[in-house]
Amino acid sequence: MTHAPHPAALDLDTITAKGWAERSDFPDAEYGRAVFFYAAMRAHDDRLHAVRAKAADLVREWTGHESRDVGSFGIGVNLEASDLDLGIGFPVAERERLMSVLADRTTFLGERYTSFSTTRLVFSFTVDGVETDLSALTVEDFEIACRMLDQIGGTMTEEERICHTWVKHLLRAAGRLDEYAAWKLVTYRRFCPEFNWVPIPEKADA
């Protein structure tokens, strides 16, 4: 016997296939739950802001470069268990020096493609119990990323952030981890399709 879907259920399959979540996708009761959940996530903002400031100070001290939050917290769609993701622009010719500088301070996670022709180096360190990833992009890619983040900040509505965060939460809670990993990247792809936003392996909490 086939059962009709619950009227308040969210159609995750349709939303993930579409690649974006909007208020019109949400029954009223479901959106109410999403709003409540999003407010709960924002309760962590003060602590994460403080940790991010400490992490940025360390990056500045180590590399001489100002960093920017390029992760889910930076665009306001993080979950409670999210780590932090910082990015810097760093000359490719000086990457060997950067590797040496960070060798005793961070864990090197590897080199990842950022676009079809460029890569970034990814490092990890912990501040006050919060894991922080640092991506050293090319100078040009970092400038593109900053423009993208500015556009997200000025264009993505709070309603869209609420919907996106709730879908991400539901996918993770349902154990749909491949879809969850892909969903984490849809905002970046929407605003910066030229980048190859590939998640770091075994990093599924952002």
Side-chain angles (χ1 to χ4, degrees):
M1 179 178 179
T2 301
H3 296 279
H6 190 282
L10 197 63
D11 189 343
L12 286 176
D13 292 337
T14 298
I15 290 173
T16 54
K18 183 174 68 170
W20 194 245
E22 300 170 291
R23 174 65 181 91
S24 58
D25 298 318
F26 284 61
D28 289 343
E30 188 77 5
Y31 186 70
R33 286 188 282 271
V35 169
F36 182 84
F37 180 82
Y38 189 77
M41 294 302 97
R42 302 278 58 79
H44 302 281
D45 282 0
D46 287 347
R47 174 173 177 265
L48 288 175
H49 276 299
V51 172
R52 186 177 66 186
K54 287 186 180 181
D57 286 344
L58 289 172
V59 171
R60 185 185 310 109
E61 175 187 333
W62 296 338
T63 71
H65 288 257
E66 294 292 338
S67 60
R68 178 147 184 186
D69 191 327
V70 296
S72 59
F73 180 59
I75 58 175
V77 296
N78 57 297
L79 301 181
E80 180 179 1
S82 292
D83 56 15
L84 293 174
D85 294 277
L86 301 181
I88 58 172
F90 204 87
V92 174
E94 298 181 32
R95 282 186 171 180
E96 191 170 315
R97 179 175 66 83
L98 180 66
M99 292 280 293
S100 177
V101 166
L102 297 180
D104 296 329
R105 298 178 170 97
T106 69
T107 299
F108 180 55
L109 298 182
E111 186 172 4
R112 303 283 185 266
Y113 278 104
T114 302
S115 69
F116 291 112
S117 60
T118 61
T119 63
R120 64 191 185 277
L121 303 182
V122 186
F123 307 85
S124 180
F125 61 101
T126 301
V127 178
D128 292 347
V130 178
E131 189 170 351
T132 303
D133 290 338
L134 172 64
S135 289
L137 297 90
T138 69
V139 173
E140 294 79 8
D141 283 348
F142 183 65
E143 291 174 351
I144 293 171
C146 287
R147 289 198 297 270
M148 173 197 68
L149 293 165
D150 288 341
Q151 186 177 0
I152 293 172
T155 306
M156 192 174 181
T157 66
E158 182 174 358
E159 201 172 72
E160 288 174 318
R161 295 174 207 275
I162 290 169
C163 295
H164 177 89
T165 304
W166 184 240
V167 170
K168 184 162 68 167
H169 164 68
L170 292 179
L171 289 171
R172 189 176 71 163
R176 297 168 62 166
L177 298 184
D178 288 343
E179 292 166 284
Y180 167 74
W183 185 257
K184 291 196 301 179
L185 303 176
V186 298
T187 302
Y188 305 106
R189 289 195 177 114
R190 184 179 181 89
F191 289 94
C192 194
E194 63 266 40
F195 276 3
N196 179 34
W197 296 101
V198 177
I200 299 169
E202 300 181 6
K203 301 288 288 184
D205 291 333

